[in-house]
Each structure stands twice: as C-alpha cells, then as structure tokens.
Amino acid sequence: MSHSMDKFKSEVRLKNMAWAAVILLLISVLLYKWQQIENKAEDTQLILTQNNLYQGAVNLKQQWEINNKPYRDHINGIDFQYTPLGWPIVNIHNQLDCHKLWQLLTNNIHYSNHNESLYVTNGKLTDINHCTYIINNKALAIFYIGGKIRIVI
C-alpha cells in the first residue's frame, strides 16, 4: 500500500510541477507582451506630445499673423519673441529658455509620468539653438533652423 501511495504522491507532485511550469510560462508571456504594449504606448505618447507642441506653435504663429506680426508678445506670464517667419521663441540672453518654451507651446500643461519630472537640456548644437526634453527615456528636441521651428523625436 505504501508503494501505491508513493506513486500517487509522485503523480500529484508531477502534476503540480507541470501546472507551475505552465503558469510560469503564461506569466512570462504576459509580462513580455505587456512590455511591448507599454513601449508602444510610450512611443504613441511621445508622438502625441510632439504633435501637441507643434500645434501650440502653429496656434501662436496664427495669432502673430492676426495681430499684425508683432516682434514680441506675452501670454500666461511668459514673455516671448517671434522669429522673422512668425514662430514663437523664448529667448533669454541669446539662449532658449526651455522650461518657458515648453510651458508656452503646451499652454502651461505640466508633463508628468508616474511622478517623474520632465528632464530638460538646452544648448547649442552646431550653432543651432535647441531644447531637448527627455520623456520616458526618449528624446524630443525643438530646433530653430532658418527661422523655422522643428520638433523632432
């Protein structure tokens, strides 16, 4: 009787191990697929952010045209200029103010993702003013080339 009991326990143990392996396999597949979905969602968020920034710039350019093409303007506490082609630019002492530029183009909407703050760098790359924003470990940059704004991922 103990031999059949040992055999039964062995079979139960084997079934439990098989179920555990199946469950672990399913969990690993789900985690892998979740990561893929999360990456695509982050990429989509970055594209939407790029589009929103560009739309903010287009809206301000339209206001520039409607208001007889002023050199300077002031919106939501932000002083800014326009390029000769009418694109908004926040220039302080001949350098871009990236934080204020972000606020201006997003209409003061603050970016937050899981309580992470937006990382911003500004500087010159081959004599071209730009701002680089790191969102979900990916870069989004605003360049001014020939008086035109370029927003690239």
Side-chain angles (χ1 to χ4, degrees), residues 1-70:
M1 186 123 173
S2 76
H3 176 63
S4 70
M5 188 61 129
D6 287 342
K7 186 177 179 185
F8 176 74
K9 285 181 180 180
S10 222
E11 286 176 4
V12 168
R13 202 173 303 127
L14 188 60
K15 284 181 185 178
N16 287 342
M17 288 174 56
W19 276 111
V22 168
I23 289 170
L24 287 174
L25 179 66
L26 286 173
I27 289 172
S28 64
V29 168
L30 287 172
L31 287 174
Y32 174 74
K33 287 297 183 182
W34 178 260
Q35 185 63 44
Q36 286 181 327
I37 290 169
E38 188 173 22
N39 288 342
K40 285 185 182 193
E42 288 174 356
D43 291 345
T44 301
Q45 179 186 24
L46 198 59
I47 290 167
L48 289 173
T49 300
Q50 178 189 27
N51 292 341
N52 288 338
L53 289 167
Y54 188 72
Q55 188 60 51
V58 167
N59 290 342
L60 290 169
K61 186 176 191 304
Q62 289 172 346
Q63 287 298 315
W64 174 77
E65 290 174 356
I66 290 170
N67 293 330
N68 295 320
K69 302 179 181 179

Side-chain angles (χ1 to χ4, degrees), residues 2-3 11-12 16 25 36 40 44-45 55 58 69 76 85 93 97 99 103 109 117 126-127 132 135 143 151:
S2 76
H3 176 63
E11 286 176 4
V12 168
N16 287 342
L25 179 66
Q36 286 181 327
K40 285 185 182 193
T44 301
Q45 179 186 24
Q55 188 60 51
V58 167
K69 302 179 181 179
N76 294 330
L85 298 176
H93 304 296
D97 184 329
H99 290 285
Q103 290 173 346
I109 296 171
S117 60
T126 63
D127 293 329
T132 303
I135 304 168
F143 291 91
I151 303 171

Side-chain angles (χ1 to χ4, degrees), residues 32 34 39 49 78 82 98 101 103 114 116 126 134 137:
Y32 174 74
W34 178 260
N39 288 342
T49 300
I78 300 171
Y82 290 97
C98 294
L101 182 62
Q103 290 173 346
H114 307 295
E116 294 176 13
T126 63
I134 306 302
N137 295 320

Side-chain angles (χ1 to χ4, degrees), residues 73-91:
D73 210 339
H74 181 86
I75 295 177
N76 294 330
I78 300 171
D79 290 316
F80 63 98
Q81 302 84 34
Y82 290 97
T83 68
L85 298 176
W87 293 103
I89 185 167
V90 183
N91 226 342

